[in-house]
Amino acid sequence: MELTLWTYEGPPHVGAIRVAASMRDVHLMLHSPQGDTYADLLFTMIEREGRRPPVTYTTFQARDLGSSTAEMVVNSLRESAERFKPQVLMVADSCTAELIQDQPGALALGADLPVPVIPLEMAAYTRKENWGAAETFYQLVRGLLSRQAPPPGSERPPRDANTRPSVNLLGPTKLGFRCRDDVVEIERLLNSMGVDVNVVAPLGASPQDLQAIPKADANVNLCPEVSDLTCSWLARTFGMPTISTIPMGWGATRDFIAEVAATLDLDINVDAVGESRLPWYSRSIDSTYLTGKRVFVFADGSHAIAAARVARDEMGFEVVGLGTYSRERARDVRAAAKEYGLEALITDNYLEVEAKVQELQPEMVLGTQMERHIAKRLGIPCAVISTPAHVQDYPARYSPQMGFEGANVLFDTWVHPLIMGLEEHLLHMFRDDFEFNDSVGPSHLGSEGEGARAQDTSSGHQADDGAVVWAFEAEKELKKIPFFVRGKARRNTERFAVEHGLTTIEVDTLYDAKAHFSN
Amino acid sequence: MSSVIASSVGEHHPGPQTQERGQRAVFCGLTSIIWLHRRIQDAFFLVVGSRTCAHLIQSAAGVMIFAEPRFATAILGERDLAGMADCHEELDRVVSELIARRSGINRLFLVGSCPSEVIKLDLETAAAKLQVKHENRVRISAFSGSGIETTFTQGEDQCLKSTVAELPALGASEDNLIVLGTVSDIVEDQFRRLFDELDIKNVHFYPGRKAGDLPAVGKGTRVIAAQPFVGETARALIESGAELISAPFPLGAEGSKAWFEAAAEAYGVDSERTQQVLEMPYQRAKRAVSVHRSKLEGKRIHFLPDSQLEIPMARFLSEECGLSVNEIGTPFHDQLMMRGELARLPQDVPMVEGQDLDPALARVRAARPDLTVCGMGIANALESEGLRTKWSIELVFSPVQGFDQAGDLAGLFAKPLAREEILEVGSWS
Ligand code: SF4
Ligand code: SF4
């Protein structure tokens, strides 16, 4: 039993629904009680989908247990096949159904339905949403393609010299982070290299489209959380190479281009494929103030690893913490963290993440919706880079994270919550001006930066933990520090005082602490 | 749920009434935790369930409104299910952890879910054992919010019912009034002022703002329901000697007036005095409703089953706003709770109890009503087909009861229609 306040991922069957909702002409029959239908709103509200996900829930009740639940499964299957006429019907248990063991997959296979059936095992008590999406996608692809598989060990015929090279983009789904725009951006990038996109899946694909997967020369493992399993099966079974660089950030996009070229044996000049404004924006003098900003990164595996690289190499930040909630990606994130001299934080307990942020006192947090709240509470600027995300992170505008345009978007989104460079100086310069009210703050900062000031309203003389007291003069001195670092100065000084066994904070304590923390 | 459906009070809707069984699209009772934990400010709700349960509450609450909420889920794992871990010991550990962390909590509800019920984890016994351990520190009890036993708003009913046994006995010569069902703080304050003016004393709101605010119950207790979904609690109170005042729900100017009148009458308040007290807020409410009337009049409305508020809402909209009601879908029809409502409903409105989602949606598509009241999962799907909707969860989350909210209530329904008139972009159909 595990005490959970907020969860980063839903249960595995929500992953199955994500795959179904991403596709055309599939239907999912989920054996579940009525409450589980809340999953619909993830799609219709958060992603603003104009249709219910293609799911039929059996919605059994207590009175059905032990007598008619199996019958409900068969009826729901028949009705779904009849009403929606899908090309493929997937069948799964939710957590409760797993306990009553009706084996809906077996029932479906025995029910002589007029449609191919793919049974799914969702392991509700050990696994989570991303795993469920990966497993569903894999079962679907395997179920549809294994009959086409060449005999083991056979050579893949070389590409006909007259056909354009092509790849599949695998992994993007509904409720993924900016998948809709990333697909457009990467497709554009590949086209400009003379590479066609054969199939994009699950997003927008039908089962019939999936049948065409082996026609491409390689698979791009665009969202490993969802497509890793499928890519390795396609590599094993069809000898299709996997392109695994995730093109997020300027450098990674160039690496991706190089990997595509090498895999498809193309002669391509990376500089000629496209460009991003990120390198120049980052070199322009206004960005000097970004130097060494301490950032904490926490996300799904792919976004965490990619963001850390962009943060250090392309923005000039210092990565002071790196972690993921995804246990499946723990190994990769640990390896990445080593490169930054860090120990990765692998947890799906949001309180642990909060404690870590509090301890590290970063100047910026790159995280999920959860970290947005943590950062807000602690008065630290934050940008959302990964799921779980809220409705505002499914924007109307084109806003990819991948490719060259994605790099532009990352620059803008990450810089926005921070104080503009020149402005930082102006704030210093004018902060004693009687007309300048520093509680107003910079006008471009909306609610994200708000916390810095909200935090500071606790101008009582007693520190939060009650152990140390601020002397009047010290408190006055503290007020002279610009508001956007005042909260941090307060916390650092209090921490310093506690660590040094002081009970009163004098002006000197403030400066001792400043000296202590600045090295 | 069965005991609710098998209500014995025989006042029937005179119009066409059918029952439907099939796919439901209603949340489970766990959802009630969202408003209960805001109402009862020193209570903590610990769901014993699965990751699905945790995800449901978080998604229905709109992800992370509070940094550290007063609800959580003890997620059952493989070890608990395989019997490798003793669930009671595990629960003991989790509860101790929780109580140590949250010092301000006076009341802990263990909330049962589908998984905990299917594995027959007895939370009532668990609560009793834990109570012994944490005596003098926190009061612990259990109720079910599971989807196999409860829908959406029934979680509140189960929660309240689980506390009825704790209510102190009312002295033989005393009397009191229990206002049953969660109302927001502002509504409570407005109601209290009116009860004062009517000289009705000893009014208790149940649930109250603090878990310890428990009303006494006995022969001198009168109960008036502020919400329609508290039928089992009402019955439990009746069994403890209370008398249930029959009234429409305090929704709209007319509903609120009739509700206060019923209370006043039960208390023998002089009817002239009653009219005097109610006249000003009643007129104010009517004015506020009439602001929206032009948007609503003559429009056709369709209710899909969701919050259990469908019948009183339909009554308010047809009686006071001039809408015609196409169909009332309701998760279940509790005749005891609805007996003050039915007579005021248009006689020919078809009423459907239960749900079979796809045929129900087909009826909406065929009828193309001007407004459909439905759950959040369905609303955008209908909007994209050119149908205006009002999501019903707002009717439970926002203060809508009483005279001074009557205008807001009409406004909730008028807004989607007004929006359609304003927007000069794209097309809804
Ligand atoms: S329906 Fe059951 S399993 Fe689903 S969220 Fe509600 S209590 Fe949990
Ligand atoms: S606050 Fe105004 S002046 Fe300052 S950076 Fe933002 S937009 Fe420019």
Side-chain angles (χ1 to χ4, degrees):
Chain A
M1 221 176 264
E2 178 202 344
L3 183 62
T4 308
L5 300 179
W6 303 110
T7 145
Y8 282 90
E9 291 181 72
H13 72 254
V14 167
I17 301 178
R18 264 171 59 196
V19 171
S22 302
M23 293 184 62
R24 294 179 290 121
D25 299 324
V26 296
H27 198 83
L28 172 66
M29 206 284 318
L30 190 71
H31 197 23
S32 71
Q34 62 182 338
D36 295 11
T37 60
Y38 79 88
D40 285 6
L41 80 87
L42 303 172
F43 299 89
T44 59
M45 297 297 285
I46 297 179
E47 176 114 32
R48 297 179 207 256
E49 278 290 289
R51 64 162 191 174
R52 275 193 59 237
V55 184
T56 298
Y57 306 83
T58 52
T59 63
F60 56 85
Q61 299 180 15
R63 61 180 175 208
D64 306 312
L65 293 179
S67 59
S68 50
T69 53
E71 201 181 305
M72 294 173 86
V73 169
V74 177
N75 289 343
S76 295
L77 285 164
R78 283 195 205 294
E79 279 175 28
S80 308
E82 169 71 16
R83 183 172 285 126
F84 302 103
K85 302 197 169 38
Q87 290 173 17
V88 168
L89 187 55
M90 299 189 286
V91 186
D93 270 334
S94 74
C95 52
T96 309
E98 198 176 311
L99 298 173
I100 60 178
Q101 302 189 330
D102 281 328
Q103 318 276 5
L107 289 174
L109 293 173
D112 193 24
L113 295 165
V115 52
V117 169
I118 307 255
L120 305 169
E121 303 267 342
M122 285 289 96
Y125 295 92
T126 45
R127 300 298 193 159
K128 284 177 270 179
E129 179 179 334
N130 281 335
W131 179 89
E135 175 70 12
T136 303
F137 186 43
Y138 165 65
Q139 292 297 347
L140 200 55
V141 169
R142 205 185 67 160
L144 289 164
L145 292 185
S146 39
R147 251 177 296 135
Q148 292 186 33
S154 37
E155 281 284 305
R156 206 176 150 75
R159 181 175 73 242
D160 178 345
N162 296 322
T163 52
R164 273 165 61 101
S166 72
V167 295
N168 302 311
L169 298 186
L170 302 185
T173 55
K174 290 282 177 198
L175 286 182
F177 197 73
R178 307 290 161 82
C179 284
R180 175 197 72 190
D181 298 341
D182 284 344
V183 166
V184 175
E185 185 63 21
I186 296 309
E187 201 158 352
R188 196 180 283 167
L189 184 79
L190 288 163
N191 288 341
S192 67
M193 297 172 66
V195 175
D196 284 343
V197 171
N198 178 48
V199 174
V200 178
L203 196 64
S206 69
Q208 208 167 2
D209 295 336
L210 297 186
Q211 309 261 12
I213 283 179
K215 292 208 181 92
D217 300 305
N219 293 310
V220 175
N221 191 8
L222 206 60
C223 312
E225 274 72 13
V226 177
S227 46
D228 221 11
L229 204 54
T230 302
C231 285
S232 34
W233 182 78
L234 289 168
R236 277 199 315 278
T237 315
F238 289 89
M240 298 178 78
T242 304
I243 293 163
S244 49
T245 306
I246 295 174
M248 208 179 313
W250 181 78
T253 299
R254 290 167 62 91
D255 293 350
F256 172 80
I257 295 168
E259 192 186 352
V260 172
T263 309
L264 302 179
D265 204 10
L266 308 172
D267 184 17
I268 280 184
N269 173 4
V270 174
D271 292 322
V273 177
E275 56 188 28
S276 162
R277 293 187 189 93
L278 183 143
W280 167 241
Y281 270 54
S282 209
R283 284 178 188 279
S284 92
I285 54 165
D286 189 71
S287 296
T288 314
Y289 79 103
L290 301 175
T291 315
K293 286 246 185 240
R294 306 170 69 252
V295 298
F296 176 83
V297 181
F298 195 86
D300 70 11
S302 306
H303 288 85
I305 295 169
R309 176 174 172 185
V310 174
R312 185 186 63 184
D313 298 350
E314 302 179 17
M315 307 292 279
F317 295 151
E318 184 195 351
V319 180
V320 295
L322 177 59
T324 183
Y325 56 82
S326 158
R327 298 208 180 262
E328 286 89 9
R329 301 299 307 279
R331 209 160 43 124
D332 303 333
V333 175
R334 279 204 185 95
K338 260 209 190 90
E339 281 183 41
Y340 301 89
L342 300 169
E343 176 92 43
L345 176 64
I346 312 291
T347 179
D348 60 356
N349 179 347
Y350 120 105
L351 293 173
E352 267 177 53
V353 181
E354 179 170 53
K356 193 75 185 171
V357 175
Q358 206 147 13
E359 175 202 320
L360 290 170
Q361 296 281 338
E363 290 161 280
M364 180 169 199
V365 172
L366 301 172
T368 72
Q369 175 71 12
M370 308 290 178
E371 285 68 45
R372 188 207 291 274
H373 285 263
I374 292 172
K376 192 164 182 176
R377 208 144 80 102
L378 299 175
I380 302 169
C382 174
V384 173
I385 57 162
S386 156
T387 55
H390 206 35
V391 61
Q392 68 262 42
D393 291 301
Y394 293 84
R397 66 176 185 278
Y398 182 60
S399 185
Q401 304 286 288
M402 293 184 183
F404 289 127
E405 181 59 22
N408 295 339
V409 171
L410 294 182
F411 183 90
D412 288 350
T413 341
W414 298 6
V415 165
H416 178 87
L418 297 167
I419 307 277
M420 295 291 160
L422 202 50
E423 193 180 4
E424 194 162 0
H425 293 289
L426 293 174
L427 282 171
H428 272 289
M429 211 169 351
F430 288 109
R431 74 164 191 257
D432 293 326
D433 190 299
F434 70 98
E435 282 186 297
F436 180 84
N437 176 358
D438 78 355
S439 70
V440 170
S443 55
H444 76 267
L445 289 183
S447 51
E448 296 300 320
E450 211 89 50
R453 279 162 289 133
Q455 267 284 310
D456 199 46
T457 52
S458 62
S459 62
H461 293 279
Q462 190 132 41
D464 289 347
D465 56 10
V468 280
V469 174
W470 283 81
F472 179 71
E473 287 299 323
E475 184 98 28
K476 237 171 81 183
E477 196 70 14
L478 181 71
K479 294 230 169 81
K480 297 178 190 164
I481 295 171
F483 71 87
F484 50 88
V485 285
R486 197 182 300 147
K488 189 172 149 201
R490 175 190 285 282
R491 285 191 298 272
N492 279 348
T493 310
E494 286 167 5
R495 197 167 118 203
F496 178 84
V498 171
E499 279 169 17
H500 289 75
L502 304 172
T503 50
T504 310
I505 294 171
E506 307 288 351
V507 175
D508 278 334
T509 323
L510 181 65
Y511 288 109
D512 286 343
K514 182 167 188 272
H516 176 81
F517 285 107
S518 65
N519 52 42
Chain B
M1 188 180 332
S2 45
S3 64
V4 168
I5 290 170
S7 142
S8 60
V9 179
E11 192 176 314
H12 294 275
H13 173 55
Q17 209 177 145
T18 43
Q19 291 211 348
E20 240 178 358
R21 262 190 89 169
Q23 181 181 193
R24 300 172 71 106
V26 183
F27 296 162
C28 58
L30 296 185
T31 324
S32 302
I33 292 172
I34 296 166
W35 62 89
L36 283 171
H37 91 282
R38 292 181 65 176
R39 172 67 183 167
I40 316 172
Q41 288 165 15
D42 55 348
F44 195 100
F45 295 81
L46 179 64
V47 178
V48 182
S50 64
R51 187 165 302 281
T52 316
C53 308
H55 202 228
L56 164 114
I57 307 178
Q58 156 173 341
S59 308
V63 184
M64 314 255 307
I65 299 169
F66 308 100
E68 196 167 339
R70 286 189 307 277
F71 56 77
T73 309
I75 296 185
L76 296 161
E78 283 268 272
R79 288 169 43 80
D80 305 298
L81 299 173
M84 280 147 71
D86 179 326
C87 282
H88 290 279
E89 278 168 25
E90 283 290 287
L91 200 56
D92 191 358
R93 177 180 60 77
V94 167
V95 165
S96 301
E97 195 183 314
L98 195 73
I99 290 176
R101 171 194 282 287
R102 303 299 299 263
S103 53
I105 297 304
N106 295 319
R107 173 97 204 190
L108 175 65
F109 289 105
L110 304 180
V111 190
S113 67
C114 306
S116 77
E117 281 164 21
V118 168
I119 64 167
K120 305 207 168 10
L121 184 54
D122 180 355
L123 291 182
E124 277 174 33
T125 307
K129 278 195 203 150
L130 287 164
Q131 183 66 76
V132 175
K133 181 165 173 188
H134 300 280
E135 198 64 57
N136 303 326
R137 164 69 191 80
V138 54
R139 167 109 209 134
I140 304 174
S141 64
F143 71 90
S144 168
S146 83
I148 55 176
E149 294 283 0
T150 62
T151 79
F152 192 10
T153 50
Q154 273 179 307
E156 170 163 348
D157 198 16
Q158 295 299 318
C159 173
L160 293 181
K161 198 181 79 172
S162 78
T163 63
V164 169
E166 294 166 32
L167 303 184
L170 189 71
S173 60
E174 297 170 298
D175 62 26
N176 65 358
L177 177 68
I178 297 177
V179 178
L180 185 58
T182 294
V183 291
S184 60
D185 294 357
I186 185 169
V187 172
E188 173 179 341
D189 295 342
Q190 292 168 4
F191 282 11
R192 279 193 186 284
R193 282 195 292 271
L194 287 169
F195 283 127
D196 268 353
E197 285 182 55
L198 290 167
D199 210 25
I200 296 177
K201 302 256 165 42
N202 289 330
V203 180
H204 299 271
F205 285 75
Y206 183 33
R209 297 179 198 201
K210 290 274 185 263
D213 293 349
L214 291 173
V217 65
K219 284 262 174 286
T221 300
R222 294 185 182 89
V223 176
I224 189 160
Q227 295 281 10
F229 41 73
V230 286
E232 290 201 24
T233 310
R235 289 176 178 83
L237 292 170
I238 292 169
E239 262 170 42
S240 312
E243 175 201 334
L244 179 67
I245 299 174
S246 169
F249 293 95
L251 297 165
E254 304 297 340
S256 302
K257 183 157 173 275
W259 192 79
F260 278 104
E261 281 170 351
E265 199 190 311
Y267 271 82
V269 181
D270 170 65
S271 78
E272 222 166 281
R273 169 88 193 131
T274 306
Q275 295 310 316
Q276 226 174 27
V277 169
L278 299 182
E279 186 58 13
M280 209 173 64
Y282 170 67
Q283 291 301 342
R284 194 163 59 212
K286 278 182 51 146
R287 276 199 307 279
V289 171
S290 71
V291 171
H292 303 284
R293 195 171 162 114
S294 65
K295 288 270 176 309
L296 294 168
E297 194 150 30
K299 296 286 196 300
R300 283 183 315 135
I301 192 162
H302 192 115
F303 288 86
L304 287 171
D306 201 47
S307 66
Q308 211 46 33
L309 280 152
E310 295 81 12
I311 293 173
M313 288 294 167
R315 181 264 303 158
F316 161 67
L317 291 168
S318 60
E319 193 177 54
E320 298 185 41
C321 303
L323 280 97
S324 70
V325 181
N326 198 59
E327 175 179 315
I328 303 176
T330 186
F332 60 91
H333 180 182
D334 183 344
Q335 285 164 355
L336 173 67
M337 299 310 287
M338 292 302 164
R339 66 185 179 182
E341 290 285 344
L342 292 179
R344 307 175 83 113
L345 267 184
Q347 302 256 316
D348 53 348
V349 177
M351 200 176 326
V352 181
E353 184 183 5
Q355 186 171 26
D356 189 4
L357 180 65
D358 289 301
L361 288 177
R363 288 199 298 280
V364 175
R365 288 178 181 125
R368 297 198 70 80
D370 298 298
L371 197 60
T372 303
V373 184
C374 61
M376 278 201 288
I378 296 171
N380 259 344
L382 291 175
E383 292 281 350
S384 76
E385 295 176 30
L387 295 160
R388 293 298 65 64
T389 60
K390 169 81 226 103
W391 16 300
S392 44
I393 204 161
E394 221 178 333
L395 306 173
V396 214
F397 283 5
S398 38
V400 294
Q401 291 80 10
F403 292 112
D404 289 312
Q405 279 64 243
D408 302 342
L409 181 58
L412 286 179
F413 295 97
K415 185 151 282 159
L417 299 169
R419 189 159 181 76
E420 176 165 35
E421 275 176 33
I422 295 166
L423 286 191
E424 293 288 352
V425 56
S427 144
W428 248 306
S429 31

